[in-house]
Amino acid sequence: MKTPPYQLIATVGSILLVAFVLAAYRFFPGQLPPWTFTLAWVVAALVLLGTVMELWLMWRDYRAGYLFPMRNASLFILLFSVIGLPAYLVFAGATGRELGPATLLLVPVFLAFATRNLFRVRIDNLTLQAKTGFRAPVEVPLFQITEVSGTEDKITVHSEGHRPVQLLRVFFLASHWRALRDRLGELATTRTP
């Protein structure tokens, strides 16, 4: 699975920002030249742009019926990040609270990692992509799916060369679970002779 450019920019930029904040505020306080801070703000803007692009693509896939977010802590952290962080920044600005450049530089990093770590299932006309844990997502072309089995509360997708994907009903909204069962049920029937 090839990493899209907007994800690569957000990941590399996040690592650079964390390293910069550590260097500027922990190891060399007051010793870095001013241009490094300007560069850090540019990198933060790029991280934010890459993250917004990824969020927009997720929203588009969700509206199209391809994306099924899992109902767990990763979803609530992402929702808090997308709604709560901008609201807090506006509140802090309106009340005159000083957040400091280190905090502001790390806000896009937090948002990027919250977005990237959303547990989700994405199924379109070509692939099934499942991020059901902290490991990298499993991406399986639909033609490589060999078996779809399940019960009322669990679906297991087997494929050639990939670990099985297990989906549990408890982690999905009822409407998402029905849509997943229907879509994966269609795949199971097309595999039956």
Side-chain angles (χ1 to χ4, degrees):
M1 175 171 53
K2 187 177 177 184
T3 304
Y6 59 87
Q7 284 184 355
L8 189 60
I9 289 169
T11 301
V12 172
S14 295
I15 293 168
L16 292 173
L17 282 173
V18 170
F20 175 78
V21 167
L22 285 173
Y25 296 98
R26 174 76 173 145
F27 299 117
F28 308 107
Q31 297 176 21
L32 295 179
W35 66 266
T36 59
F37 288 89
T38 303
L39 184 60
W41 286 109
V42 170
V43 172
L46 289 173
V47 169
L48 187 61
L49 183 64
T51 303
V52 168
M53 175 67 124
E54 188 169 1
L55 284 168
W56 180 79
L57 291 172
M58 282 183 181
W59 176 251
R60 185 193 68 181
D61 289 346
Y62 179 78
R63 299 272 301 166
Y66 297 148
L67 184 72
F68 305 96
M70 295 177 73
R71 187 180 57 188
N72 61 10
S74 69
L75 176 63
F76 298 116
I77 289 170
L78 179 61
L79 291 176
F80 167 76
S81 301
V82 169
I83 297 167
L85 284 176
Y88 179 72
L89 292 174
V90 168
F91 171 76
T95 58
R97 294 180 188 217
E98 180 63 39
L99 295 177
T103 302
L104 292 175
L105 283 171
L106 293 178
V107 167
V109 173
F110 182 79
L111 186 59
F113 282 105
T115 302
R116 186 73 43 80
N117 288 310
L118 175 67
F119 291 12
R120 62 195 178 272
V121 174
R122 184 184 184 281
I123 184 167
D124 59 17
N125 296 327
L126 301 174
T127 60
L128 166 73
Q129 184 185 56
K131 180 165 178 54
T132 58
F134 292 106
R135 296 186 286 187
V138 175
E139 188 166 349
V140 181
L142 297 183
F143 66 85
Q144 288 185 353
I145 293 177
T146 56
E147 180 186 356
V148 178
S149 60
T151 63
E152 198 60 35
D153 296 326
K154 179 180 171 181
I155 300 171
T156 305
V157 179
H158 299 276
S159 59
E160 301 169 7
H162 300 280
R163 68 180 191 264
V165 176
Q166 293 187 348
L167 306 173
L168 302 175
R169 177 182 182 179
V170 70
F171 290 115
F172 294 93
L173 297 172
S175 60
H176 293 167
W177 183 252
R178 282 192 301 274
L180 269 174
R181 285 191 60 196
D182 292 345
R183 181 69 174 112
L184 293 171
E186 291 171 10
L187 291 174
T189 57
T190 58
R191 303 279 179 256
T192 312

